[in-house]
Amino acid sequence: MSDRIYLDHNATTPVDPRVLEKILPYFTEIYGNAASNDHDFGYEAKKAVDKAREQIARVINAKPEEIIFTSGATESDNIALRGIAEKYADKGDHIITCVTEHKAVLDVCKKLESLGKKITYLPVDQYGMVDPEDVRKAITPDTILISLMFANNEIGTIHPIEEIGKIATEHDIFFHTDAAQAVGHLPIDVQKMNIHLMSMSGHKIYGPKGIGALYRKKSNPRVEIEPITFGGGHERGVRSGTLNVPAIVGFGEAVRIGNKEMNKENKKYREWAEYMLTELRKEVPEIQLNGHPKNRLPNNLNISIPGIESRALIVKLKEVAIATGSACTSAKVEPSHVIEALGFGDQRAHNALRFSFGRQNTQEKIDQAMNHLVSNIKRLKAFSSK
Ligand SMILES: *Cc1c(COP(=O)(O)O)cnc(C)c1O
């Protein structure tokens, strides 16, 4: 267990021990229902939730009442897209998104299409970047929402969010961004960036799994949402259901710590990514970098190694946890829709490896991972050239 090196932090992160410490009392000591305001038990739980709401709001320059707690970025994406499509149906039926979005956005868009909505899936360039001019050109009188992710979870590319927000605002259209990989990792200012809706996740930033939030702008403009679930009217009627107080406490603390430490952490990650790419290229000069060379998540390194099937490599690479550019479905190996969208063909996806660094990695472990990787690449190369 302890010998394995975890380099898959874009998939999920461990809970930071400082976060865990804050959470624990809320299971057994401060266990009230945040909606039960008839006694101190409920009041104390509500106080803890309010604090987390403030912590998150402060980091993204929002107001606490603009934070809606959900079960994660998937649910936030669902609420944002479905909630806007339904609420503003009389204003229009067109949504603009892009081909490299997370399935939590793409699959909701497919569902909306089946309900008669029109979706434009913008292409991306060879770095996975949407051209803001394409966004502008895709706008029609029926467009009600633009949904473009902040940073891509597979290739790390960071979209020109501020420019896109400006275009949306100029055209009186709402702008939603899935920022699951960005909150607590990159500076975000929802005011300055003209973001009207933003999805966040706890477990991508050393908080618990199963908790997230949706930022929803409440004034200038006020964004209305039709709820997709109904019940006790929690979270301003947008998301009914008893609040998961321990997870919310942890999420708030995780965002606070992430924001405080991002500069220091990102500097370290950039150095590791640079170092790994340089060292690997010494062994295999033809390695391709997937994603944008500069505008990318510091903790993400996605490469394709020509001639090496990434699935064959990770089968051998027991000591290091990394992700590939393809997913095994029951019938066949499906290339990643993100890497395919870059326009280099399927093979590039089958050769892709994603390394994503995290808080607990050390230079020593990165070196060890490199050694394991290089020796396995050499072995596979020798095998395939026979
Ligand atoms: C992880 C992730 C999600 C899903 O978030 P959950 O909190 O696991 O539901 C959505 N979008 C992006 C970009 C992600 O990285």
Side-chain angles (χ1 to χ4, degrees):
M1 206 41 199
S2 59
D3 285 343
R4 295 186 310 179
I5 305 166
Y6 186 76
L7 297 180
D8 201 14
H9 293 81
N10 290 154
T12 196
T13 57
V15 171
D16 188 295
R18 293 167 291 181
V19 170
L20 180 65
E21 197 191 330
K22 293 272 185 204
I23 292 176
L24 288 176
Y26 289 90
F27 285 108
T28 50
E29 291 159 42
I30 315 166
Y31 50 79
N33 184 329
S36 305
N37 47 21
D38 292 335
H39 45 67
D40 281 353
F41 291 85
Y43 174 71
E44 282 164 13
K46 181 174 183 301
K47 220 171 64 178
V49 168
D50 286 346
K51 182 180 171 194
R53 220 186 279 287
E54 270 164 38
Q55 285 175 317
I56 296 162
R58 188 172 309 141
V59 164
I60 62 170
N61 193 22
K63 299 186 196 86
E65 62 270 25
E66 293 177 318
I67 305 298
I68 297 158
F69 288 113
T70 66
S71 66
T74 300
E75 188 186 353
S76 300
D77 288 342
N78 273 265
I79 296 174
L81 276 87
R82 301 196 67 174
I84 293 293
E86 196 174 333
K87 190 80 193 180
Y88 293 91
D90 54 353
K91 200 169 167 236
D93 60 358
H94 179 229
I95 293 171
I96 298 168
T97 185
C98 88
V99 291
T100 53
E101 291 295 313
H102 193 274
K103 293 287 182 194
V105 165
L106 291 177
D107 286 355
V108 179
C109 286
K110 270 190 229 154
K111 173 70 186 172
L112 289 171
E113 278 182 307
S114 80
L115 298 172
K117 306 290 176 189
K118 289 180 284 204
I119 314 283
T120 298
Y121 300 91
L122 294 175
V124 294
D125 68 11
Q126 61 177 318
Y127 304 122
M129 193 76 93
V130 159
D131 183 347
E133 272 318 300
D134 286 349
V135 177
R136 196 188 293 278
K137 282 185 220 146
I139 295 171
T140 75
D142 292 329
T143 310
I144 51 172
L145 179 70
I146 297 168
S147 179
L148 291 168
M149 70 203 313
F150 204 110
N152 187 276
N153 49 302
E154 290 191 40
I155 56 173
T157 299
I158 300 170
H159 273 149
I161 292 299
E162 200 170 333
E163 256 183 283
I164 296 162
K166 195 157 166 275
I167 293 169
T169 296
E170 280 167 14
H171 290 82
D172 218 3
I173 296 165
F174 293 139
F175 176 38
H176 165 251
T177 187
D178 177 344
Q181 295 287 343
V183 173
H185 292 280
L186 299 171
I188 298 181
D189 182 330
V190 291
Q191 305 297 332
K192 184 160 151 256
M193 294 172 166
N194 281 298
I195 296 167
H196 304 112
L197 294 143
M198 185 167 80
S199 302
M200 306 174 239
S201 176
H203 73 98
K204 304 290 174 74
I205 50 166
Y206 308 90
K209 293 170 182 59
I211 188 72
L214 177 67
Y215 156 74
R216 179 267 301 250
K217 195 168 166 63
K218 289 214 73 178
S219 55
N220 278 319
R222 179 183 168 83
V223 182
E224 307 270 3
I225 293 174
E226 185 63 29
I228 59 173
T229 52
F230 298 86
H234 307 75
E235 298 300 89
R236 289 163 199 277
V238 174
R239 203 274 190 172
S240 285
T242 301
L243 292 177
N244 183 348
V245 178
I248 288 170
V249 166
F251 183 29
E253 182 67 4
V255 171
R256 187 189 70 78
I257 294 172
N259 189 56
K260 188 162 64 78
E261 300 187 345
M262 64 170 70
N263 288 341
K264 183 183 79 189
E265 293 292 310
N266 285 343
K267 180 168 177 288
K268 186 172 77 180
Y269 301 150
R270 276 193 199 97
E271 283 168 9
W272 286 342
E274 187 67 39
Y275 165 75
M276 281 193 90
L277 189 58
T278 308
E279 291 301 306
L280 287 170
R281 276 191 169 142
K282 284 181 191 161
E283 301 298 329
V284 194
E286 63 276 22
I287 281 177
Q288 300 139 341
L289 176 69
N290 296 315
H292 199 281
K294 288 211 176 61
N295 297 328
R296 60 183 300 113
L297 284 172
N299 78 343
N300 170 292
L301 175 68
N302 192 313
I303 56 168
S304 287
I305 311 177
I308 304 275
E309 292 286 332
S310 50
R311 299 210 75 86
L313 182 63
I314 61 158
V315 168
K316 300 274 175 226
L317 200 63
K318 289 282 178 243
E319 309 85 348
V320 191
I322 53 176
T324 66
S326 51
C328 270
T329 60
S330 52
K332 57 177 181 171
V333 182
E334 291 280 355
S336 140
H337 70 287
V338 175
I339 295 175
E340 270 204 314
L342 306 178
F344 300 105
D346 276 11
Q347 196 52 51
R348 179 110 162 199
H350 292 305
N351 296 340
L353 295 170
R354 180 186 70 185
F355 305 87
S356 45
F357 312 113
R359 213 172 262 166
Q360 284 159 341
N361 294 144
T362 59
Q363 179 69 49
E364 189 194 353
K365 291 289 174 187
I366 299 293
D367 283 327
Q368 284 175 18
M370 279 288 306
N371 290 340
H372 287 306
L373 193 64
V374 166
S375 62
N376 279 293
I377 290 172
K378 280 183 172 158
R379 209 173 299 157
L380 279 172
K381 282 213 130 187
F383 180 74
S384 61
S385 61
K386 265 177 199 154

